[in-house]
Amino acid sequence: MDRQQASQANKPFARTIIIIGAGVFGLSTALAIADRHPSIVVKVIDRLKPPVLDGTSVDTTRCIRADYKDPVYAKLAKAAQTKIREDPELNQYMYQQGMTFACDGEPDRFTELWKAQKKLAESLHAEKDLVNMPDRESVFQRLHGKDTKPPSAGELPGGMSRWNMAYCNLEDAFIDAEKCIEVYYNRCLTKPNISFRCGSPVDHIRIEDGVAQGVVLESGTSIEGDLVLVAAGAWSGRLVNLEQRIYPIGHEVAWIKLTTDEQKRWKNNSITTNLSTGLNMFPPYRGEIKILRRSPGYKNTIVVPDPEDQSKTMKISYPRTIVDNPGDAIPLDAEKAMRENLKEIMPSLADRPFDRTKICWICTTPTADFLVAPHPRIAGIHLATGGSAHAWKFLPVIGDLVVDSMEGVLSAELEEKWRYVRGSTGRDENAPRMDGEPEELRDVVRNKSSVL
Ligand SMILES: Cc1cc2nc3c(=O)[nH]c(=O)nc-3n(C[C@H](O)[C@H](O)[C@H](O)COP(=O)(O)OP(=O)(O)OC[C@H]3O[C@@H](n4cnc5c(N)ncnc54)[C@H](O)[C@@H]3O)c2cc1C
Ligand SMILES: *[C@@H]1O[C@H](CO)[C@@H](O)[C@H](O)[C@H]1NC(C)=O
Ligand SMILES: *[C@@H]1O[C@H](CO)[C@@H](O)[C@H](O)[C@H]1NC(C)=O
Ligand SMILES: *[C@@H]1O[C@H](CO)[C@@H](O)[C@H](O)[C@H]1NC(C)=O
Ligand SMILES: *[C@@H]1O[C@H](CO)[C@@H](O)[C@H](O)[C@H]1NC(C)=O
């Protein structure tokens, strides 16, 4: 009997499960519970109705890739992509145009990572699915055509080229993240025992004698449940004291409107990403190009009561988004760094005004491993978060694994990877971002009216 059969043979492991958060983790888990144990009553609570405008899972585009240095994620990502491809509702929003991974070739950790990732890609994919770009001419020509030439290094900021070598994995795709979250939300609504409660955030998890009893909303309403799943992404650290195991960081995102001619010209481009600069540029979609940067990022430090001891406080980083602060525009440094990259790979867009920008919050863990585990101290709370910058692509598979974890049958390998570790350090190799400390956002954020 395999594990899944074993758990199916078991009685439902709870009567009522409250899921806080309707993103990738929350929605995928709600569906997995309904499929495995339809008699469990699932109540999903979110600040807003899905697709949640400032939720990390909601955006114009996300990458679907299996390029990982770590074989565990590489395998899981491949399985997830196959499921997306076979899902008639999701696959209409997936565009398999490949993803190009570039680096500068300087002897540092990004180049090492690039080499390891390329090697693994070569072992997992057919030769025809990988395009090698050994020099900066071929990197540029893949974007602009055979008869083009990259700007000379002398014309570039710092007089130095950075997009120097690359490979493209043609199996990789981008997906309309917002539409797919809507698909999953609607799918949940067809399940008789899943219900949603959106509009009032969870204020706190109600705990009695060290056991969770349910949640209390900011509106004052109390909701009972015998298991509470914290899937609140970058917001999770306010609901449970995670002792720095997760650290929310904001990354800058910007959109540039294209002319019809530009849309046609670049239509078939791959997603292009520089592992070293952290810049990630998507092909034209709905008339615009999206760029983001895996920068050291921004933090938003606030002091809140410790949920485990109201007499104490804790200092956490907590999302500051376009929903709470609609006037915000990305910091000047972020804009400058994006434009420097564009000068090299998209010279004609380098000075074009951004249509809009946002800070997208990720729930990082030191190793970029997810956090899927029971709460270390409070019975009746389970955690499903720590998506870091790479959990979206696991939408069709993550929920089942979270249910495995709740049932105590997660594979030893994943249990070890996703367990609760206090604080801790490590390398974020599965979703690398630039070295450096995140800046305090409130010190550098700009006001839209003074920028755009
Ligand atoms: C710029 C950027 C690029 C990325 N690119 C990729 C990519 O290309 N590929 C990829 O696979 N991954 C990518 N990711 C990562 C991926 O998007 C995330 O790992 C994933 O979406 C996290 O999902 P989640 O369910 O944890 O969080 P969320 O989607 O944020 O869900 C959490 C939900 O909890 C709700 N919530 C919070 N607090 C409360 C409360 N108190 N009460 C009720 N509800 C609450 C929020 O409203 C939110 O809807 C990227 C992330 C960013 C920021
Ligand atoms: C929903 O849950 C209730 C209570 O556990 C159960 O009696 C009912 O059969 C469930 N509905 C479905 C469609 O499974
Ligand atoms: C990517 O960006 C980093 C940081 O600026 C740079 O050092 C590196 O050379 C770049 N790599 C490529 C391939 O562009
Ligand atoms: C894009 O790809 C399609 C299908 O392969 C092809 O017909 C079209 O000419 C391509 N367009 C450009 C601008 O390369
Ligand atoms: C942005 O600037 C405008 C105009 O100066 C002002 O009215 C608004 O309150 C500011 N918004 C924020 C969020 O600071």
Side-chain angles (χ1 to χ4, degrees):
M1 189 149 72
D2 72 13
R3 289 178 310 107
Q4 188 124 344
Q5 283 168 328
S7 75
Q8 270 159 355
N10 284 341
K11 285 219 266 304
F13 58 98
R15 269 168 294 124
T16 302
I17 299 180
I18 295 173
I19 297 181
I20 310 174
V24 161
F25 280 94
L27 295 176
S28 181
T29 303
L31 277 180
I33 295 170
D35 287 341
R36 211 183 282 188
H37 296 294
S39 68
I40 297 181
V41 172
V42 179
K43 298 178 178 174
V44 185
I45 305 173
D46 204 299
R47 297 153 56 236
L48 301 166
K49 187 172 162 255
V52 174
L53 181 61
D54 60 352
T56 309
S57 305
V58 175
D59 207 337
T60 49
T61 54
R62 281 278 178 270
C63 314
I64 305 297
R65 64 176 166 102
D67 296 73
Y68 276 95
K69 188 186 165 197
D70 181 336
V72 174
Y73 288 108
K75 207 172 115 213
L76 208 53
K78 207 153 192 272
Q81 189 174 355
T82 303
K83 288 205 164 173
I84 295 174
R85 209 179 271 143
E86 289 167 357
D87 184 322
E89 284 181 294
L90 296 183
N91 69 15
Q92 58 177 327
Y93 299 117
M94 183 162 84
Y95 302 83
Q96 191 177 322
Q97 294 181 202
M99 181 160 177
T100 295
F101 296 89
C103 73
D104 53 10
E106 294 296 315
D108 61 17
R109 74 168 176 121
F110 298 106
T111 300
E112 283 313 304
L113 178 61
W114 180 83
K115 283 185 187 157
Q117 190 181 295
K118 180 165 183 270
K119 207 166 149 202
L120 189 63
E122 284 163 350
S123 74
L124 285 172
H125 296 274
E127 213 177 319
K128 66 169 175 49
D129 293 326
L130 299 175
V131 180
N132 199 18
M133 285 162 268
D135 49 40
R136 59 188 299 256
E137 281 71 25
S138 48
V139 176
F140 193 82
Q141 284 167 2
R142 188 159 172 87
L143 288 166
H144 300 284
K146 280 266 169 288
D147 50 354
T148 61
K149 253 180 66 183
S152 72
E155 295 170 54
L156 296 172
M160 186 180 134
S161 74
R162 295 187 146 76
W163 296 74
N164 294 335
M165 57 180 70
Y167 77 91
C168 180
N169 186 342
L170 298 173
E171 287 259 294
D172 292 344
F174 72 89
I175 199 159
D176 187 323
E178 179 175 359
K179 288 286 183 202
C180 290
I181 290 297
E182 205 174 332
V183 166
Y184 259 55
Y185 172 53
N186 288 326
R187 210 169 270 179
C188 285
L189 291 176
T190 67
K191 305 287 179 186
N193 275 337
I194 301 181
S195 64
F196 284 83
R197 177 105 185 202
C198 304
S200 181
V202 169
D203 182 72
H204 63 275
I205 300 172
R206 201 164 59 79
I207 299 160
E208 260 171 41
D209 301 326
V211 183
Q213 310 291 324
V215 301
V216 179
L217 306 184
E218 275 182 18
S219 63
T221 306
S222 204
I223 299 175
E224 306 290 308
D226 38 27
L227 189 55
V228 176
L229 182 73
V230 177
W235 290 263
S236 301
R238 186 175 195 156
L239 297 166
V240 274
N241 183 350
L242 296 178
E243 305 166 295
Q244 309 292 315
R245 172 59 182 165
I246 61 156
Y247 204 86
I249 286 173
H251 281 168
E252 59 270 32
V253 187
W255 288 265
I256 298 176
K257 290 269 184 248
L258 301 178
T259 65
T260 318
D261 181 55
E262 288 168 337
Q263 291 173 45
K264 269 197 223 137
R265 193 177 342 140
W266 293 320
K267 183 177 179 300
N268 294 348
N269 278 0
S270 307
I271 306 161
T272 303
T273 191
N274 175 348
L275 283 176
S276 324
T277 59
L279 191 90
N280 198 357
M281 179 179 72
F282 286 83
Y285 182 61
R286 294 176 185 256
E288 53 193 15
I289 269 183
K290 180 177 111 176
I291 51 177
L292 63 90
R293 204 168 65 102
R294 298 185 193 281
S295 57
Y298 302 94
K299 61 185 175 183
N300 178 45
T301 308
I302 60 169
V303 176
V304 293
D306 181 338
E308 290 176 45
D309 179 355
Q310 294 286 323
S311 70
K312 291 190 190 142
T313 57
M314 55 182 193
K315 207 192 260 184
I316 58 169
S317 174
Y318 193 71
R320 167 181 170 135
T321 75
I322 44 171
V323 168
D324 323 305
N325 293 82
D328 281 5
I330 58 168
L332 182 61
D333 278 355
E335 174 164 355
K336 273 194 184 150
M338 284 176 159
R339 294 195 182 285
E340 278 182 14
N341 276 275
L342 289 175
K343 277 200 179 86
E344 182 165 358
I345 54 164
M346 281 283 168
S348 61
L349 296 182
D351 298 315
R352 177 126 2 136
F354 293 148
D355 179 65
R356 62 195 187 283
T357 67
K358 74 167 178 185
I359 296 289
C360 178
W361 289 85
I362 55 170
C363 182
T364 57
T365 65
T367 54
D369 286 313
F370 309 150
L371 173 55
V372 179
H375 190 289
R377 294 172 297 277
I378 303 167
I381 300 181
H382 215 86
L383 311 167
T385 185
S388 301
H390 70 122
W392 203 100
K393 65 181 72 62
F394 301 104
L395 176 69
V397 298
I398 194 71
D400 252 321
L401 297 168
V402 174
V403 179
D404 279 352
S405 171
M406 289 194 285
E407 295 200 74
V409 296
L410 191 62
S411 73
E413 184 177 55
L414 289 177
E415 190 177 57
E416 169 65 22
K417 227 179 217 334
W418 294 346
R419 79 200 159 94
Y420 184 92
V421 189
R422 190 172 173 187
S424 103
T425 53
R427 277 294 193 198
D428 55 350
E429 294 197 316
N430 291 307
R433 59 189 163 82
M434 309 310 308
D435 291 326
E437 277 301 301
E439 272 183 285
E440 196 65 64
L441 183 59
R442 65 175 69 92
D443 296 342
V444 287
V445 72
R446 291 179 297 171
N447 187 324
K448 231 184 220 170
S449 60
S450 63
V451 179
L452 298 175

